[in-house]
Each structure stands twice: as structure tokens, then as C-alpha cells.
């Protein structure tokens, strides 16, 4: 009986580990795709802007902000404070943080919204760690984020 219980517990732990890995790589793929798309847009936009814009004519002041709003879709804004507020003293995985974000926003995200939110999360966590507002421990699937005391 105890062998079956131990086997079941082992399989459950392995399944949880695999799900964490899947979430990590899903976020990683989304971030890389987003970066690649931005680079491709920069290349194509730079050539078009030089050809089509007349000298001395600038975009209206709020144009850049309006473009960002269009790209955001149905998701509310998630700034640095939002992501920092989701991280406490106890280390959390990216999956746990993403689940907390969905609850905090009170949304039921579509597949595209989930992808966008994962991209935002990856960028925010990287920036917060770099600015030393939060700390991280571990690597890869075992990486956890927390607020230092």
C-alpha cells in the first residue's frame, strides 16, 4: 500500500515539475517571439519612415501612447508597481505569479491575452531583478522570485 502511495506522490511531483517547466518555456518562447517581432518592425519601419515622412513634419504628441494602447488589446495596464505587489517575502515561481496576476486583474484571459500577460511578466520580472527591487533564487524551472527583507 505504501509503495503505491509513494509512486502516486512521486508521479504527482513529477507532473507539477513538468507543468512548471512548460510555463517557463512558454513564457520564454513568447518573450523571444515578441523581441523578434519588435526587431523586424524596427527594420521595416525605419525604411518606410525615411521614405514617406516629409522633413519638418513630426507626429502628434500623443501618437506613441495611442499606438501602445492599440497593441495592449483587452488587458489592463500592468506597471512595475503591479508586478511588485504580487511578490512577497515567500519565493514564488513564474506560474504562481502569473496566476496571482490573473486573479488580481479579475479577468478570464484568452490564449492571446495570456501570451501577452506572460510576456509582460517576463519583462517586468527581469527589470525588477535588475533594479534590485526583488530578488531571485535558482535557475530555469527552479527559479523563484521574492522581495528581500
Amino acid at each position: 500500500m505504501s509503495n503505491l502511495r509513494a509512486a502516486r506522490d512521486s508521479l504527482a511531483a513529477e507532473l507539477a515539475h513538468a507543468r512548471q517547466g512548460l510555463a517557463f518555456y512558454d513564457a520564454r518562447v513568447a518573450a523571444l517571439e515578441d523581441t523578434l517581432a519588435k526587431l523586424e518592425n524596427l527594420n521595416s519601419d525605419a525604411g518606410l519612415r525615411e521614405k514617406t515622412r516629409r522633413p519638418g513634419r513630426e507626429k502628434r504628441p500623443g501618437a506613441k501612447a495611442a499606438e501602445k494602447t492599440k497593441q495592449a488589446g483587452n488587458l489592463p495596464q500592468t506597471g512595475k508597481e503591479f508586478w511588485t505587489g504580487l511578490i512577497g517575502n515567500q519565493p514564488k515561481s513564474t506560474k504562481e505569479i502569473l496566476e496571482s496576476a490573473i486573479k488580481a486583474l479579475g479577468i478570464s484571459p484568452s490564449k492571446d491575452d495570456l501570451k501577452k500577460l506572460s510576456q509582460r511578466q517576463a519583462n517586468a520580472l527581469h527589470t525588477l531583478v535588475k533594479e534590485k527591487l526583488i530578488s531571485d533564487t535558482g535557475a530555469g524551472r527552479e527559479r523563484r522570485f521574492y522581495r528581500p527583507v
Side-chain angles (χ1 to χ4, degrees), residues 15-110:
L15 181 60
H17 185 74
R19 284 188 175 140
Q20 288 175 349
L22 183 61
F24 169 79
Y25 283 110
D26 189 70
R28 181 84 173 142
V29 166
L32 291 171
E33 287 175 341
D34 187 45
T35 303
L36 185 59
K38 286 178 183 177
L39 287 174
E40 289 176 356
N41 284 341
L42 285 176
N43 272 346
S44 64
D45 285 350
L48 289 175
R49 251 186 261 135
E50 290 176 6
K51 293 177 185 175
T52 58
R53 294 187 71 199
R54 290 187 276 175
R57 197 152 182 215
E58 299 297 321
K59 281 188 173 183
R60 58 185 168 78
K64 196 169 195 174
E67 287 176 15
K68 285 184 180 179
T69 305
K70 286 180 189 175
Q71 293 173 354
N74 299 329
L75 290 177
Q77 290 185 346
T78 53
K80 196 186 316 185
E81 294 79 25
F82 173 78
W83 294 105
T84 307
L86 297 175
I87 300 169
N89 296 338
Q90 295 297 319
K92 285 185 177 181
S93 68
T94 54
K95 182 179 179 181
E96 292 168 331
I97 296 169
L98 187 61
E99 289 170 356
S100 298
I102 292 169
K103 284 181 186 176
L105 293 172
I107 60 172
S108 179
S110 66

Side-chain angles (χ1 to χ4, degrees), residues 83-91 133-135 145-149:
W83 294 105
T84 307
L86 297 175
I87 300 169
N89 296 338
Q90 295 297 319
L133 295 173
I134 64 170
S135 296
F145 300 89
Y146 61 96
R147 230 185 280 182
V149 179

Side-chain angles (χ1 to χ4, degrees), residues 130-143:
K130 193 172 182 180
E131 293 177 358
K132 298 186 183 196
L133 295 173
I134 64 170
S135 296
D136 65 336
T137 183
R141 293 179 183 168
E142 299 301 317
R143 192 169 184 199

